[in-house]
Amino acid sequence: MNPKIEVKRSVCPYDCPDTCGLMVETVEGKAVRVTGDPDHPHTRGTLCSKMNHYEKTVHSPERLTKPLLRTGSKGAGEFKEISWEEAIFHIKERWQGIIAEYGSQAILPYSYAGTMGVVQRNIGEAFFHRLGASRLERTICSSAKGYGWSAVMGSSLAPHPQEVSASDLIILWGTNILATNIHLLYQIREAKKAGAVVWLIETYQSSAAQFADKVIMVRPGSDGALALGMMRVLVDKKLIAEEFVAQYVQGFEAFEKESLPEYSLDAVSKITGIDAASVEEIGILYGKARAPFIVMGSGLSRYGNGAMTVRAITCLPALVGAWAKVGGGLLASIGTGSAFAMDSIIREDFMQEPTRIVNMNQLGHALQQITNPPIMSMYVYHSNPAIVAPDQNAVVKGLLREELFMIVHERFMTDTARYADLVLPATSSLEHSDIYRSYGHYCVQRAYPVIPPVGEAKSNWDVFRLLASAMGFEESFFEQTTDEIIQQLLESPKPWLEQIDMNKVQEGMAAELPLPPDYKITFKTPSGKIEIFNPREIDPFPTYKPSHGDDAPFWLMNAPGLYSLNSSFNERPDLLEKRKAMYLMMNPYDAEKKGFKNGQEVIAFNERGEVVFILKIASEVPSGIVVTEGIFWIKNTPGKSSVNALTSQRLTDRGAASTFYDTKVDVRSFH
Ligand SMILES: Nc1nc2c(c(=O)[nH]1)N[C@H]1C(S)=C(S)[C@@H](COP(=O)(O)OP(=O)(O)OC[C@H]3O[C@@H](n4cnc5c(=O)[nH]c(N)nc54)[C@H](O)[C@@H]3O)O[C@H]1N2
Ligand SMILES: Nc1nc2c(c(=O)[nH]1)N[C@H]1C(S)=C(S)[C@@H](COP(=O)(O)OP(=O)(O)OC[C@H]3O[C@@H](n4cnc5c(=O)[nH]c(N)nc54)[C@H](O)[C@@H]3O)O[C@H]1N2
Ligand code: SF4
Ligand SMILES: [Mo]
């Protein structure tokens, strides 16, 4: 008899705005095929090339299946298998000793976005609040972007992605949607069929350029000046939507008089490297479009001036009244957190007193500083800081500290896990329950386990429950199962969630949070208007300020790749093959000046580190910029470090975020 094939729904757990619906075929408790869910309103049955074979990740021979205790020296990757009972006992003993000597704040959790599930991603915080551990400021990704948007728009709802279909001018501003937001292509194609024009504003010709009618190449970190220059063009060419501005915008008149005069075409051209005629052209095109729509990526926010850049760009749709038009607006990120009772998961009330906060972008400093108390233990879950955190050499130095007791809960033996004293095996999303929301659409979707745990893997919450019991926490909170917690979330009185189709949610189908009819012109700011003038800011009007930079000749773009997601998918030989090698793309003119040949090994370096790359001569990259796409585990690199050995721990102007792209390097031949 043929084995029975079952098909069950699930959700893509990765940190990607699309949050696709999955159909998983299983045979005898194993996932054998993963396809897209045709009933998902946004992702419509297609997946990206990474997730088309998710079963290869889930059943990878490299999956961790048992707890491991370090036997060799730190970082040597030598471990022996132990039981879960031994592992939990070991953690309890070490933590009790550390707490007695240094206090509980000597323990630091480190997590980010290995899974985006509402419960498994966030609930560890309840445990660490109860423990009294230091808190992690989780700002590695897009908090500067969020800050910039909120400074102008408050907590206004972001436009539904369907709006893009009705636009006649789509500006992809610093986003490679082919890699990071592939399902938005559906709306872009619909708009193009109806005659829309697509512009891409980038630092190099990324793969998204193939969808653009025109590519504008901007000097890294200077987009704020471009936006201000476009606004000045709108004023000079009398393309301001005066009625809309009078009714819905705060402070335009003063902005026009006090700030905009500085941003002449020449001044903007000098800052951005874009010729004056093109700045004028894009300003006029934007002002004359029927319903212009900006899709804003996060790359441009990862600079010392990132929040301000986002603030300036976010003002553009207000000046032309795009918010009042079907198909007009700006999409930075969709926020649906308010639909859920997040406080019931994070449980700040478990904290007896406010504990120390450590910024995750400054892990290197934090681990090495002899702060009071020093960090004596770190518990890493669903994150890979040895690879994704900036200033890799500083981070690794910290991880090598002999007295640091380090626990890593992971699916794979990542570079971070190699530095652990104790490695705990984690379930993949197909093996545990969760509920998902998205930052690219308005759907909510519940996922039930579709296969049993691989080996002895446990979910994030199940490990925290064991640890809570070992540490003697008596709160009934720690006795709940994941499904009980999800059920409570769904039943908690939240007005937005109450409007959703709950039957669909319980069946594991994607259901959309409804949007009020006039949401695009309802501005949830203190003034009730779009705040071009924001009196709560030190700079009440948007302005251009330079980014940090380094004293080196080439800007280093470390952009997302098509076949990886942050450091995830390095376990997949099929995807590594498509990536070929860790390339450094360089303009032919720069390569010639350096005497480099295509395919040779080169070293990119700056004051923080050195990284070996394979040189790829590429006319897509302008002179003065080098580009590397995707993040590699060390064993998949040509050298002994990866791109974050070059990035810095400096923070953004606001939002305390990472500044990955605000990095400069020089390049020399390896031999
Ligand atoms: N395939 C794939 N998908 C992903 C990810 C991935 O690594 N791979 N990462 C996921 C995560 S965590 C996130 S946060 C999102 C990010 O998704 P996006 O926000 O779309 O991507 P970013 O990494 O922010 O950068 C996008 C682009 O910004 C460009 N850029 C850099 N500096 C500037 C600048 O100064 N000006 C302009 N105009 N452009 C600039 C870069 O060249 C890059 O191509 O994607 C998610 N999806
Ligand atoms: N140079 C450079 N560095 C970057 C970026 C960049 O553009 N350039 N992007 C940055 C951005 S935007 C982000 S968001 C960060 C992301 O950084 P991270 O959130 O650390 O993301 P990943 O590298 O995908 O690592 C997630 C890990 O979680 C594990 N995992 C998956 N599911 C689970 C689970 O359920 N439980 C547990 N315990 N583990 C699980 C995976 O195996 C994987 O190793 O990286 C940042 N780093
Ligand atoms: S990574 Fe993004 S595009 Fe790919 S399946 Fe997951 S949610 Fe969809
Ligand atoms: Mo991110």
Side-chain angles (χ1 to χ4, degrees):
M1 212 175 74
N2 284 337
K4 193 166 157 258
I5 299 178
E6 289 182 83
V7 184
K8 296 173 189 165
R9 283 206 156 76
S10 191
V11 185
C12 177
Y14 287 95
D15 187 353
C16 168
D18 294 14
T19 318
C20 291
L22 310 180
M23 304 301 291
V24 185
E25 288 179 24
T26 65
V27 174
E28 292 171 348
K30 278 191 128 188
V32 293
R33 203 163 98 97
V34 180
T35 52
D37 177 357
D39 294 323
H40 193 289
H42 183 68
T43 61
R44 297 180 170 84
T46 59
L47 303 177
C48 64
S49 46
K50 308 179 292 293
M51 283 297 281
N52 265 326
H53 287 288
Y54 187 37
E55 74 284 353
K56 292 189 182 173
T57 289
V58 171
H59 298 293
S60 158
E62 294 191 42
R63 274 290 297 274
L64 298 170
T65 55
K66 279 188 169 272
L68 301 172
L69 185 68
R70 175 166 72 90
T71 52
S73 58
K74 285 240 177 195
E78 290 157 20
F79 297 93
K80 67 168 188 192
E81 291 181 354
I82 57 170
S83 69
W84 270 102
E85 291 70 31
E86 288 171 291
I88 297 291
F89 182 77
H90 191 73
I91 298 172
K92 180 192 97 154
E93 292 277 289
R94 286 294 303 265
W95 276 0
Q96 283 176 342
I98 288 169
I99 292 169
E101 194 169 345
Y102 299 94
S104 50
Q105 294 193 61
I107 301 170
L108 177 73
Y110 197 101
S111 70
Y112 199 63
T115 171
M116 291 293 278
V118 171
V119 177
Q120 304 290 359
R121 179 180 190 195
N122 299 297
I123 201 157
E125 290 190 56
F127 172 82
F128 287 107
H129 287 147
R130 173 66 181 79
L131 188 66
S134 288
R135 280 174 289 169
L136 188 73
E137 189 172 31
R138 292 176 172 81
T139 52
I140 203 166
C141 181
S142 56
S143 53
K145 185 183 184 183
Y147 190 102
W149 159 269
S150 304
V152 181
M153 303 296 287
S155 54
S156 307
L157 290 171
H160 193 286
Q162 197 57 46
E163 288 280 324
V164 174
S165 312
S167 169
D168 62 335
L169 170 67
I170 301 163
I171 300 183
L172 303 175
W173 203 321
T175 180
N176 182 352
I177 49 158
L178 193 61
T180 61
N181 196 0
I182 196 169
H183 289 88
L184 200 65
L185 272 178
Y186 179 86
Q187 278 85 16
I188 291 176
R189 286 201 177 108
E190 279 195 329
K192 281 190 105 165
K193 260 188 249 157
V197 171
V198 179
W199 281 42
L200 173 69
I201 305 178
E202 253 292 353
T203 49
Y204 75 109
Q205 296 248 0
S206 71
S207 43
Q210 60 188 281
F211 303 104
D213 298 288
K214 182 149 180 168
V215 182
I216 295 269
M217 225 82 101
V218 65
R219 191 170 287 146
S222 71
D223 302 73
L226 174 59
L228 288 157
M230 286 167 68
M231 289 192 252
R232 164 117 186 228
V233 172
L234 294 174
V235 171
D236 289 350
K237 301 290 174 189
K238 306 214 169 353
L239 292 168
I240 300 291
E242 281 169 13
E243 269 177 42
F244 181 90
V245 169
Q247 191 177 349
Y248 294 113
V249 179
Q250 168 166 288
F252 177 68
E253 239 173 68
F255 176 60
E256 183 188 346
K257 283 205 194 77
E258 288 170 30
S259 299
L260 284 186
E262 268 182 63
Y263 301 99
S264 66
L265 292 178
D266 281 344
V268 169
S269 175
K270 272 204 193 85
I271 300 170
T272 59
I274 305 168
D275 62 278
S278 294
V279 177
E280 185 168 45
E281 186 191 359
I282 190 166
I284 293 174
L285 193 79
Y286 188 75
K288 290 195 170 164
R290 172 183 49 79
F293 196 100
I294 297 172
V295 182
M296 184 171 21
S298 307
L300 50 79
S301 76
R302 296 190 186 125
Y303 289 85
N305 59 7
M308 188 58 101
T309 298
V310 173
R311 219 178 128 192
I313 297 171
T314 304
C315 292
L316 274 164
L319 269 56
V320 295
W323 295 112
K325 296 171 182 166
V326 177
L330 178 149
L331 181 56
S333 182
I334 288 178
T336 53
S338 64
F340 292 97
M342 292 308 290
D343 49 350
S344 72
I345 293 210
I346 287 167
R347 296 304 300 257
E348 285 196 347
D349 56 307
F350 280 167
M351 227 181 339
Q352 279 181 350
E353 54 189 54
T355 48
R356 166 173 67 180
I357 295 175
V358 174
N359 186 297
M360 69 188 302
N361 300 303
Q362 298 180 325
L363 180 65
H365 289 327
L367 287 178
Q368 287 178 63
Q369 263 165 18
I370 309 304
T371 41
N372 195 12
I375 294 166
M376 297 303 294
S377 177
M378 182 158 82
Y379 183 99
V380 181
Y381 57 115
H382 74 115
S383 184
N384 188 7
I387 292 295
V388 303
D391 203 353
Q392 187 167 73
N393 291 329
V395 172
V396 167
K397 206 167 162 196
L399 297 180
L400 280 170
R401 257 177 56 211
E402 198 50 46
E403 70 281 12
L404 178 74
F405 174 53
M406 168 129 144
I407 306 140
V408 178
H409 185 210
E410 246 302 343
R411 303 177 308 169
F412 297 102
M413 185 53 74
T414 59
D415 292 284
T416 307
R418 291 178 74 84
Y419 289 101
D421 297 285
L422 199 52
V423 183
L424 307 173
T427 42
S428 79
S429 63
L430 297 190
E431 300 149 51
H432 58 237
S433 299
D434 217 326
I435 182 150
Y436 296 84
R437 59 190 181 84
S438 158
Y439 61 99
H441 53 71
Y442 280 98
C443 295
V444 166
Q445 193 169 0
R446 182 170 186 169
Y448 301 93
V450 300
I451 54 167
V454 168
E456 294 179 18
K458 288 189 190 295
S459 73
N460 291 358
W461 178 233
D462 286 345
V463 181
F464 288 120
R465 290 176 64 198
L466 288 177
L467 288 170
S469 163
M471 297 304 287
F473 300 171
E474 282 169 357
E475 291 79 358
S476 56
F477 180 84
F478 295 102
E479 284 161 22
Q480 306 172 92
T481 63
T482 307
D483 284 310
E484 284 165 353
I485 292 166
I486 295 170
Q487 197 53 35
Q488 269 185 30
L489 267 184
L490 292 175
E491 284 167 11
S492 56
K494 280 280 172 182
W496 202 4
L497 201 59
E498 278 163 13
Q499 298 168 46
I500 208 168
D501 183 341
M502 204 45 86
N503 290 330
K504 265 190 164 178
V505 175
Q506 297 293 20
E507 281 170 29
M509 295 187 67
E512 261 192 295
L513 289 161
L515 290 165
D518 56 352
Y519 77 98
K520 268 177 66 191
I521 46 165
T522 305
F523 303 110
K524 296 186 191 166
T525 56
S527 64
K529 292 184 170 192
I530 297 174
E531 298 195 333
I532 288 188
F533 170 68
N534 181 335
R536 298 170 306 283
E537 288 294 315
I538 299 172
D539 294 305
F541 293 112
T543 158
Y544 169 76
K545 287 184 182 166
S547 56
H548 298 301
D550 289 295
D551 187 15
F554 294 95
W555 285 98
L556 172 70
M557 298 294 103
N558 33 106
L562 294 179
Y563 304 112
S564 56
L565 193 144
N566 300 324
S567 74
S568 291
F569 297 104
N570 266 275
E571 74 282 359
R572 289 271 297 277
D574 57 326
L575 295 174
L576 284 170
E577 204 171 298
K578 291 188 173 156
R579 297 169 81 181
K580 294 195 181 80
M582 191 167 93
Y583 291 119
L584 189 71
M585 294 154 72
M586 182 181 263
N587 179 278
Y589 168 80
D590 292 337
E592 197 189 327
K593 249 184 31 186
K594 290 262 180 199
F596 292 160
K597 298 223 162 22
N598 202 35
Q600 79 166 82
E601 285 184 326
V602 292
I603 297 176
F605 62 99
N606 60 19
E607 63 192 47
R608 292 173 292 276
E610 299 196 342
V611 182
V612 182
F613 290 93
I614 307 298
L615 190 83
K616 187 180 199 173
I617 299 178
S619 53
E620 295 92 331
V621 178
S623 176
I625 291 181
V626 286
V627 179
T628 176
E629 293 180 335
I631 303 182
F632 289 79
W633 286 353
I634 305 286
K635 72 171 180 182
N636 298 329
T637 72
K640 292 196 175 79
S641 55
S642 56
V643 65
N644 279 320
L646 300 164
T647 58
S648 82
Q649 300 183 55
R650 295 181 297 232
L651 301 179
T652 51
D653 46 351
R654 292 277 187 282
S658 60
T659 57
F660 289 110
Y661 292 91
D662 200 342
T663 301
K664 295 183 97 176
V665 296
D666 202 348
V667 188
R668 66 171 190 263
S669 181
F670 183 66
H671 297 290

